Amino acid sequence: MTNMQTELSATDIDSYREQGFLVIEELLNEEELGTWREAVGNAVVDHELSGRDLDPTQSDYYDRVFLQRVNLWKSNEAVRDLVIDERLGRLAANLAGVQKIRLYHDHALIKKPWANPTNWHADNPDDPYRSPEATMLWVALDNATTQNGCLLFLPGTHKRDDFDSAGPLDEANIGGFIEAHPELAEVEPATAEVAAGAGIFINGMVAHAAGANMTSQPRRAFAMLFIPGECHY
């Protein structure tokens, strides 16, 4: 990959740190997008055939939110080559303001046709580590729209430190996170409709959600979680 969008302006960095997320349009060009689609698609099929990552205890509702397959880099060399690209790590480190960054895990996130919405949540409270610099890169493998379940954010909520108090949430209650923190209802959601090939960096503490897929086609995405090099879990 030679044409990946790897330049960040001071405005980009300031926006990420103020809002808790940053959309990078055309992170991947058409050729790169094709490479990512093929690698992730093949890796997901391999996981399906092997039965890895299947959790028989998850709820029927959650099972219909998205097909999720974790740590594809461990079993697929093509995915491994993509996710350990030092340019992605440099982008994550520059946005987070750290000198070193590590991959925690990757995961495919595929909303099948008619999939349920993803409830409001913040990622880091459920992670086995805690860092305000933790970030996720979410890459759109298809156009993400309001019709097929694009991401939504509550800007600035990554500056809070009390999301642990929410406790376990009902996966089928889209607004359960808001009910646990009612002051969040005053924050106007930002909708991130993006074209395939775009990347969205997401702070581990910013509240976000995704709509239902109300179309007959899947909405595919691939995400990588990054943590500072000195972080322990």
Side-chain angles (χ1 to χ4, degrees):
M1 297 185 297
T2 59
N3 299 311
M4 181 184 291
Q5 175 58 261
T6 58
E7 298 299 321
L8 290 173
S9 67
T11 300
D12 290 333
I13 296 173
D14 289 344
S15 178
Y16 172 81
R17 295 179 185 175
E18 180 65 25
Q19 302 296 316
F21 68 97
L22 176 70
V23 175
I24 302 179
E25 301 285 1
E26 299 180 351
L27 175 71
L28 307 177
N29 64 25
E30 283 297 320
E31 181 179 356
E32 294 164 347
L33 176 60
T35 299
W36 281 67
R37 282 172 168 168
E38 180 178 7
V40 173
N42 289 339
V44 168
V45 169
D46 290 344
H47 261 54
E48 290 288 281
L49 294 175
S50 68
R52 285 188 290 262
D53 289 349
L54 300 180
D55 182 0
T57 66
Q58 70 185 21
S59 70
D60 288 341
Y61 182 91
Y62 187 81
D63 190 47
R64 291 177 174 84
V65 172
F66 45 55
L67 170 70
Q68 179 174 220
R69 294 295 175 260
V70 179
N71 278 328
L72 296 178
W73 75 271
K74 290 185 176 182
S75 58
N76 185 281
E77 186 173 345
V79 170
R80 181 181 184 278
D81 289 342
L82 296 176
V83 302
I84 65 171
D85 189 321
E86 65 181 23
R87 293 171 297 178
L88 297 178
R90 187 176 296 112
L91 282 170
N94 288 341
L95 288 172
V98 298
Q99 294 299 313
K100 299 178 182 179
I101 205 84
R102 291 187 294 167
L103 176 72
Y104 177 61
H105 71 68
D106 66 53
H107 54 173
L109 298 165
I110 301 171
K111 278 193 177 292
K112 294 182 178 181
W114 325 121
N116 290 333
T118 309
N119 60 1
W120 286 101
H121 66 286
D123 291 331
N124 202 212
D126 293 324
D127 292 328
Y129 56 85
R130 174 51 51 86
S131 172
E133 289 82 29
T135 190
M136 176 171 70
L137 171 58
W138 187 95
V139 178
L141 301 181
D142 296 305
N143 295 339
T145 68
T146 54
Q147 287 78 24
N148 69 5
C150 69
L151 294 174
L152 300 98
F153 298 92
L154 297 183
T157 50
H158 63 300
K159 298 177 182 179
R160 302 169 60 102
D161 59 4
D162 63 341
F163 285 162
D164 281 342
S165 63
L169 298 175
D170 180 0
E171 294 158 349
N173 183 359
I174 307 305
F177 192 75
I178 309 299
E179 293 170 3
H181 303 282
E183 64 278 10
L184 296 183
E186 301 177 4
V187 182
E188 184 68 23
T191 303
E193 288 192 287
V194 297
I200 306 178
F201 277 96
I202 305 168
N203 183 279
M205 283 299 292
V206 73
H208 59 286
N213 184 357
M214 300 300 291
T215 75
S216 61
Q217 300 298 316
R219 189 232 65 190
R220 298 169 294 174
F222 186 75
M224 291 142 280
L225 277 67
F226 296 102
I227 58 177
E230 304 303 325
C231 187
H232 297 279
Y233 60 93

